[in-house]
Amino acid sequence: MQFWIDTASRTPIYRQLKDQIRAAIARGKLHPDDRMPSVRDLSRQIVVNPNTVARVYTELEREGVLNTRPGVGVFVAQNRADEFTRKARKERLLALIDQFLTEAVHLGFSAAEALTLAGERSQQFQWQEGTSS
Amino acid sequence: MQFWIDTASRTPIYRQLKDQIRAAIARGKLHPDDRMPSVRDLSRQIVVNPNTVARVYTELEREGVLNTRPGVGVFVAQNRADEFTRKARKERLLALIDQFLTEAVHLGFSAAEALTLAGERSQQFQWQEGTSS
Amino acid sequence: MQFWIDTASRTPIYRQLKDQIRAAIARGKLHPDDRMPSVRDLSRQIVVNPNTVARVYTELEREGVLNTRPGVGVFVAQNRADEFTRKARKERLLALIDQFLTEAVHLGFSAAEALTLAGERSQQFQWQEGTSS
Amino acid sequence: MQFWIDTASRTPIYRQLKDQIRAAIARGKLHPDDRMPSVRDLSRQIVVNPNTVARVYTELEREGVLNTRPGVGVFVAQNRADEFTRKARKERLLALIDQFLTEAVHLGFSAAEALTLAGERSQQFQWQEGTSS
DNA sequence: GTGGTCTAGACCACC
DNA sequence: GTGGTCTAGACCACG
């Protein structure tokens, strides 16, 4: 996996990295039990303070996305979405949808346009058994 | 127009208000030359520091979304939806899409499920025509 | 609320503080919407680096225990346990129980003794409508 | 005796093994003068670096829990359950109880529910008599 | 005033 | 080698 940071962006470095890791997993580019680069390696690679990388790994660990074994390394975890209530998950998804559509309209697109483009884009995302119905 | 602020949200108050005004214009709920409520009225209505409202009006004026006519009031400016190039806006939309789909997958939904639900959801709103094509 | 840190202990400072805050909430000594001391105040009070306190607040925020409103302060959140599956919650509780009983036996107590003492101690904990049955 | 290591757990491997050996003795599954498996055998059995097993044996010997007879093997020492004072052990137990109840309440259980379940759970094990009274 | 982010550099425990 | 924790001190955004 290759990660890149845009230091000019206003979104924090740790946020950019977190998002990229989550996206890589959602797209199936990283699989459960895959080994992540070490904190020091990754910090050198993307030219960022090791603490910042460590923070990302720690937060993703607490969110259940990664597993870290001190002294050994950091690994991609199993998906734990099924620990959440169907209701909570659907509420969260609806919030995401509203946010997405609102921002798309801010950009001057119609909802239909945004969804069409999203449909094309979704091909890159890992198919997954639905658990919400 | 009715505006609402979620003080519990992580997005700054001034950003929420700015976004809502822009969204209202984009959706055609506010039209060019419509008069905006005064800073004091609006600050009372949404229970927010007047400084914050003033800041929003100032920034939106600088961005050409609003016009202030001193001693008269604040008014909606002419449509500037094309302030971004088509390319920049599309790039931003793609980023939004990726972010949305990533989160949906992490919630345990498939991309298809998320988009289906988004399609239903989008019909509950009155979105304006896209301007990107 | 008064918090104290044992710098001689081997359990990390941030862990001690986190545990105390969680315990105060569980015992009803801190209630939803109560305001927490500011990062700087608390760091001065317990003589710890502000970053360490900030870390605690950030983590508890991500866990849904606290709400932070940047520029305003940090507040106790509502209990969100109902977002988790009954199954996930019960599994977690059973793990807690096993861990507790095992450690008690390590200390040379019988399970019965440990549970008797826990029964007395539990009077200090806030009663709460069971949601597991 | 059968030992198992959970490499995914956050508690260090050497700590898991140490705790299990102590627990086995506390529960009466290992008795004074019982012979422990060799470092090499045990490391193969639980798939762990031999250094780690050696460290555990060394530490337990230093703590008086095991005895090494060079060229012969490692053996369980005489019972030292009273190595802590009654007061220190009770303080530690109270801390464990508070921690347990806090987590249970945050999971949405009442203290009473948690203790009831703990009571049932405790009967599935063969705990030894308490030594604190 | 508030919290949020980042860096630099230290020391520790674990394997 | 690995990750975990803590400090000191900086700068920023927000209200």
Side-chain angles (χ1 to χ4, degrees):
Chain A
M1 274 302 301
Q2 189 60 25
F3 301 102
W4 38 262
I5 262 40
D6 176 9
T7 52
S9 161
R10 250 110 82 272
T11 71
I13 294 176
Y14 89 96
R15 206 58 188 96
Q16 294 182 42
L17 184 54
K18 253 180 100 166
D19 287 348
Q20 281 179 47
I21 295 174
R22 299 185 74 117
I25 296 172
R27 289 184 177 165
K29 296 194 173 178
L30 287 174
H31 306 89
D33 287 327
D34 276 1
R35 179 185 197 137
M36 298 294 297
S38 82
V39 169
R40 290 158 172 82
D41 281 355
L42 186 47
S43 75
R44 270 192 298 266
Q45 179 193 323
I46 60 181
V47 193
V48 146
N49 188 297
N51 279 338
T52 305
V53 175
R55 174 182 179 182
V56 169
Y57 280 3
T58 305
E59 291 195 3
L60 288 176
E61 154 111 39
R62 305 236 206 270
E63 293 172 20
V65 176
L66 298 180
N67 281 328
T68 112
R69 321 231 280 271
V72 182
V74 178
F75 301 82
V76 177
Q78 308 294 328
N79 193 334
R80 292 193 329 184
D82 55 339
E83 285 197 0
F84 288 92
T85 311
R86 183 190 172 286
K87 183 161 166 287
R89 287 167 52 238
K90 184 147 184 183
E91 272 173 12
R92 180 87 188 94
L93 181 59
L94 286 176
L96 284 178
I97 288 171
D98 287 357
Q99 181 187 338
F100 168 62
L101 292 176
T102 302
E103 297 201 28
V105 169
H106 286 190
L107 284 172
F109 296 88
S110 72
E113 283 173 320
L115 290 175
T116 303
L117 199 53
E120 299 167 9
R121 195 77 170 176
S122 70
Q123 307 299 327
Q124 298 178 20
F125 282 78
Q126 195 172 31
W127 182 84
Q128 158 149 3
E129 190 83 37
T131 55
S132 67
S133 57
Chain B
M1 273 304 296
Q2 186 60 26
F3 300 103
W4 37 261
I5 260 47
D6 177 8
T7 53
S9 160
R10 307 305 313 280
T11 68
I13 294 175
Y14 93 96
R15 200 77 180 74
Q16 293 183 46
L17 183 55
K18 240 177 111 170
D19 285 351
Q20 279 179 47
I21 295 175
R22 301 185 81 124
I25 297 172
R27 292 186 198 171
K29 297 203 169 177
L30 285 175
H31 306 89
D33 285 327
D34 276 2
R35 177 183 197 139
M36 298 294 295
S38 78
V39 167
R40 291 204 338 211
D41 282 355
L42 185 49
S43 73
R44 265 197 298 268
Q45 178 194 324
I46 59 181
V47 193
V48 146
N49 191 309
N51 287 334
T52 305
V53 176
R55 175 184 177 179
V56 169
Y57 279 6
T58 306
E59 291 195 5
L60 288 176
E61 162 136 40
R62 200 168 49 226
E63 296 170 17
V65 176
L66 298 180
N67 282 329
T68 302
R69 303 185 203 150
V72 184
V74 179
F75 299 84
V76 176
Q78 300 303 317
N79 198 331
R80 302 189 65 256
D82 46 355
E83 62 186 308
F84 300 116
T85 68
R86 187 184 180 289
K87 182 161 168 289
R89 285 165 50 235
K90 183 149 183 183
E91 271 174 13
R92 177 81 187 106
L93 180 58
L94 286 176
L96 284 178
I97 289 170
D98 286 359
Q99 185 184 335
F100 167 62
L101 293 176
T102 297
E103 301 269 351
V105 167
H106 276 288
L107 279 172
F109 297 90
S110 71
E113 284 174 316
L115 290 176
T116 303
L117 199 55
E120 298 167 8
R121 190 78 170 176
S122 71
Q123 300 182 1
Q124 301 176 19
F125 293 90
Q126 175 201 340
W127 308 97
Q128 84 161 149
E129 286 292 319
T131 57
S132 67
S133 55
Chain C
M1 276 304 300
Q2 189 60 23
F3 300 102
W4 38 263
I5 262 39
D6 175 9
T7 51
S9 161
R10 252 109 83 270
T11 72
I13 294 176
Y14 90 96
R15 209 48 184 105
Q16 293 183 43
L17 184 54
K18 255 180 98 167
D19 287 348
Q20 282 180 47
I21 295 174
R22 299 185 75 115
I25 296 173
R27 289 183 177 165
K29 297 195 173 179
L30 286 175
H31 305 91
D33 287 330
D34 276 2
R35 179 185 196 136
M36 298 295 295
S38 81
V39 169
R40 289 158 172 83
D41 281 356
L42 186 48
S43 75
R44 269 192 299 265
Q45 179 193 321
I46 59 181
V47 194
V48 145
N49 189 296
N51 280 337
T52 305
V53 176
R55 175 184 179 181
V56 169
Y57 280 3
T58 306
E59 291 195 3
L60 288 175
E61 153 112 40
R62 306 235 208 268
E63 294 171 20
V65 175
L66 298 179
N67 281 330
T68 112
R69 321 231 279 272
V72 181
V74 177
F75 302 82
V76 176
Q78 309 294 328
N79 193 332
R80 293 192 329 184
D82 55 338
E83 285 196 1
F84 288 90
T85 311
R86 183 191 172 287
K87 182 160 166 289
R89 286 167 52 238
K90 185 147 184 183
E91 271 173 11
R92 180 91 186 89
L93 181 59
L94 286 175
L96 284 177
I97 289 170
D98 287 356
Q99 181 187 337
F100 167 62
L101 292 177
T102 302
E103 299 201 25
V105 169
H106 287 190
L107 284 172
F109 296 89
S110 72
E113 284 173 318
L115 290 175
T116 303
L117 198 54
E120 299 167 10
R121 195 78 171 175
S122 70
Q123 307 299 328
Q124 297 177 21
F125 282 78
Q126 194 172 33
W127 181 84
Q128 156 149 4
E129 190 82 40
T131 56
S132 66
S133 57
Chain D
M1 273 301 299
Q2 186 59 27
F3 301 102
W4 38 260
I5 259 47
D6 176 7
T7 53
S9 161
R10 305 307 310 283
T11 68
I13 293 175
Y14 93 98
R15 198 83 181 70
Q16 293 184 45
L17 183 54
K18 238 177 115 170
D19 286 353
Q20 280 180 46
I21 293 174
R22 302 185 80 123
I25 297 171
R27 292 186 198 170
K29 298 205 169 177
L30 285 175
H31 305 88
D33 286 329
D34 276 2
R35 178 187 198 136
M36 297 295 295
S38 77
V39 168
R40 290 206 335 213
D41 282 354
L42 185 48
S43 72
R44 264 198 298 266
Q45 179 193 324
I46 59 182
V47 192
V48 146
N49 191 312
N51 287 333
T52 304
V53 176
R55 174 182 177 181
V56 169
Y57 279 6
T58 306
E59 292 194 5
L60 287 176
E61 163 134 42
R62 200 168 49 226
E63 295 169 19
V65 176
L66 298 181
N67 282 328
T68 301
R69 304 186 200 147
V72 184
V74 178
F75 299 84
V76 177
Q78 299 305 316
N79 198 334
R80 302 190 65 256
D82 46 355
E83 62 186 308
F84 300 115
T85 69
R86 189 186 177 288
K87 183 161 167 291
R89 285 164 50 235
K90 183 151 182 181
E91 270 174 15
R92 178 80 188 108
L93 180 59
L94 285 176
L96 283 179
I97 288 171
D98 287 359
Q99 184 184 336
F100 167 62
L101 292 176
T102 297
E103 301 269 353
V105 167
H106 276 288
L107 280 173
F109 297 89
S110 72
E113 284 174 317
L115 290 175
T116 303
L117 199 55
E120 298 169 7
R121 191 79 170 175
S122 71
Q123 302 184 1
Q124 301 177 20
F125 294 85
Q126 174 202 340
W127 308 99
Q128 85 163 145
E129 288 291 320
T131 56
S132 66
S133 56

